[in-house]
Amino acid sequence: GAVSIGDNTVTTLTNNGTIETTSSHYGLRHTGSGLITTLINNGSITSAARYGLSTGSSATITTIENSGTISAGAHSGLRNYKGVIGTITNSGTGTISAVGHSGLRNDGDGEIGTITNSGTISAGTDKGLFNSGTITTLTNSGTISSTEEYGLSNDDGSIGTITNSGTISAGGDNGLWTDGTITELNNS
């Protein structure tokens, strides 16, 4: 990928420019046992194919603040695979997206504490937000959408509380689909 963190510790990573790969890999990859305390993206983190931002087993990111673009061509804009992310805040003009699969994907028993979205989380052909791991709290006042399949897909995953005052939608199937557990759903 363009930037790989590995087993290192980064207290604050702030991107105001462009982190990009035009190959089939990752824009920013954090798949070691290291720690990113705070990741602030005001610019662009992108991959032409696989993942804009990806975590892996044993990786931890305490806080992600995005007001820029985290995106991928073929797969997922932001993927948390078996990692731990404390808080994701996608605000204002912030976009987490993929042309193909998922805008935001939490899988492989990945754990996310809180997702707060007032921006856009979207996908072209699959799921805007896909979860097969654990999300404690999801608050949406923005847009979570897919052009074709599900806006939000909870595929055998667990979500504690969803509070939605925005839009969760899909062009082809359901806006929200689950065969997992959602403890509390508040929609206004």
Side-chain angles (χ1 to χ4, degrees):
V3 176
S4 183
I5 303 301
D7 297 328
N8 299 300
T9 298
V10 178
T11 303
T12 303
L13 194 162
T14 302
N15 177 50
N16 294 313
T18 300
I19 298 173
E20 178 182 18
T21 179
T22 56
S23 70
S24 60
H25 294 289
Y26 309 81
L28 196 159
R29 185 180 190 186
H30 180 33
T31 54
S33 59
L35 166 68
I36 299 174
T37 304
T38 304
L39 170 58
I40 301 169
N41 181 53
N42 303 312
S44 176
I45 301 173
T46 184
S47 169
R50 296 188 75 180
Y51 310 108
L53 169 60
S54 178
T55 70
S57 180
S58 302
T60 300
I61 301 176
T62 306
T63 302
I64 297 173
E65 299 176 6
N66 181 57
S67 60
T69 299
I70 300 173
S71 66
H75 215 287
S76 303
L78 193 164
R79 185 189 192 193
N80 183 42
Y81 179 70
K82 297 185 178 182
V84 176
I85 299 175
T87 302
I88 299 172
T89 302
N90 185 53
S91 59
T93 58
T95 300
I96 301 172
S97 67
V99 174
H101 285 264
S102 309
L104 195 161
R105 185 178 185 91
N106 184 49
D107 62 354
D109 296 322
E111 298 178 20
I112 299 175
T114 301
I115 299 172
T116 302
N117 179 56
S118 58
T120 300
I121 299 172
S122 66
T125 60
D126 214 324
K127 291 93 174 171
L129 194 160
F130 174 86
N131 178 56
S132 63
T134 301
I135 298 170
T136 304
T137 304
L138 169 61
T139 302
N140 179 56
S141 59
T143 299
I144 300 173
S145 67
S146 172
T147 304
E148 293 186 10
E149 288 195 19
Y150 309 112
L152 169 57
S153 174
N154 186 43
D155 189 352
D156 201 30
S158 174
I159 302 175
T161 302
I162 298 174
T163 301
N164 179 56
S165 58
T167 300
I168 300 175
S169 66
D173 281 301
N174 305 101
L176 191 158
W177 180 86
T178 184
D179 68 353
T181 300
I182 298 173
T183 304
E184 183 178 351
L185 173 60
N186 303 300
N187 186 60
S188 59

